[in-house]
Amino acid sequence: MLPPEYEKMYRVEDRDWWFVSRRELVLRHLKRFAKVDRPLILDIGCGTGATSQLLSEHAVVVSLDFSELALQACETRGIDHLLKGSATSIPLADQSVDVIVATDILEHLEKDTAALREFQRVLKKSGIAIITVPAYQFLWSEHDEALMHLRRYTSRLLRKRILDAGMDLKYHGYAISLLFPLALMRLIKKKKPENHAPEAQHVELPVWANELLIRLQRLENRLFHYRSLPWGLSVISVVEKMK
């Protein structure tokens, strides 16, 4: 991400509907698929730490990021187990973690399949990875540029990458689907001047509107617990290391 985005993320991610909804989605799948009661989780690309903080209530969490700004924000939160490194070269031993969480990481990487193979290396046998990526290239906007994305995904593309890496799909589909129309607003925004620095589009909503969106996403999570809708703002996969 561009450096100003770390400060912005730290400021909004505890309450913003997008971040809250994504964290709750990850936690729901963790509770459903994790095979040990208190797993050792590697949070790859932990950012400014809100996801690691939530997961630490249910697991032992190691938070990994390549950015000093991200790790400094995690320290400010009081997160203890911090590790500097990248998704394609994880500084951990083979078969050392029970669960990997990688929320919106693969789209930053030129070699996303190499990262998935690295996930498989550090996972214990029958360990799982919970992966989210942004959906649909036609939704590309300055938001992606500010966050330094290289691509957005379809469900089919992410599935191919996972299978190419030799991992087994346990759950796969779109997520944050009921709120999909909100993303279309990006496509009709007024074009910025050419010299305008791209910014991530986290709109700070009134409290009531933000809470309404969180509740809508919780409703979606209950309604589509086992099967997702055929569209959404994110693609989510739960994958298992092949024995």
Side-chain angles (χ1 to χ4, degrees):
M1 295 192 298
L2 296 176
E5 299 304 330
Y6 286 102
E7 186 279 330
K8 187 185 298 184
M9 177 184 288
Y10 183 80
R11 179 168 48 85
V12 306
E13 71 170 341
D14 285 324
R15 63 184 183 277
D16 180 82
W17 72 271
W18 169 262
F19 293 107
V20 172
S21 297
R22 191 177 65 182
R23 287 196 298 274
E24 292 185 355
L25 185 66
V26 167
L27 182 58
R28 174 179 284 268
H29 287 292
L30 175 69
K31 290 179 176 180
R32 180 180 172 191
F33 288 102
K35 296 185 177 180
V36 292
D37 289 337
R38 191 166 175 80
L40 175 58
I41 295 177
L42 177 62
D43 184 8
I44 296 179
C46 60
T48 55
T51 299
S52 289
Q53 199 165 46
L54 174 65
L55 294 175
S56 66
E57 299 173 13
H58 308 272
V60 177
V61 181
V62 176
S63 306
L64 180 144
D65 208 290
F66 75 93
S67 167
E68 290 287 354
L69 292 173
L71 296 176
Q72 288 168 13
C74 290
E75 285 183 344
T76 302
R77 288 185 180 276
I79 295 172
D80 293 324
H81 306 298
L82 300 175
L83 194 60
K84 187 172 183 180
S86 72
T88 54
S89 183
I90 300 169
L92 290 175
D94 296 358
Q95 300 187 41
S96 56
V97 299
D98 300 299
V99 176
I100 285 174
V101 170
T103 53
D104 291 12
I105 298 304
L106 295 181
E107 68 274 12
H108 295 270
L109 306 175
E110 288 186 14
K111 299 179 179 179
D112 50 359
T113 304
L116 290 166
R117 292 195 178 106
E118 185 72 346
F119 294 3
Q120 179 154 253
R121 180 186 69 80
V122 300
L123 280 173
K124 296 178 183 177
K125 289 184 179 179
S126 299
I128 64 166
I130 303 170
I131 300 163
T132 68
V133 293
Y136 299 121
Q137 193 66 25
F138 71 80
L139 291 178
W140 185 272
S141 70
E142 71 166 312
H143 179 85
D144 298 278
E145 294 171 12
L147 298 182
M148 301 181 72
H149 293 173
L150 298 179
R151 72 190 73 81
R152 299 175 72 92
Y153 289 78
T154 61
S155 172
R156 178 179 296 180
L157 177 59
L158 182 58
R159 177 191 291 271
K160 182 179 187 305
R161 293 288 197 270
I162 288 166
L163 296 178
D164 287 348
M167 304 183 84
D168 184 31
L169 283 163
K170 308 301 290 183
Y171 178 91
H172 183 77
Y174 288 101
I176 312 185
S177 302
L178 297 179
L179 300 175
F180 182 79
L182 290 178
L184 300 180
M185 295 173 62
R186 291 183 191 169
L187 303 180
I188 59 175
K189 277 195 157 190
K190 184 178 179 180
K191 187 176 181 180
K192 301 288 180 68
E194 288 187 6
N195 61 351
H196 169 77
E199 296 179 294
Q201 298 164 12
H202 299 304
V203 179
E204 294 194 45
L205 299 172
V207 173
W208 67 267
N210 190 66
E211 183 60 29
L212 176 61
L213 295 183
I214 291 171
R215 292 185 180 211
L216 282 172
Q217 186 54 38
R218 287 172 179 163
L219 174 63
E220 177 185 320
N221 288 345
R222 289 196 298 271
L223 291 176
F224 304 107
H225 181 63
Y226 294 103
R227 186 179 181 88
S228 68
L229 289 172
W231 66 83
L233 298 180
S234 287
V235 186
I236 182 167
S237 289
V238 181
V239 302
E240 185 175 23
K241 178 172 181 170
M242 299 289 283
K243 295 182 180 179

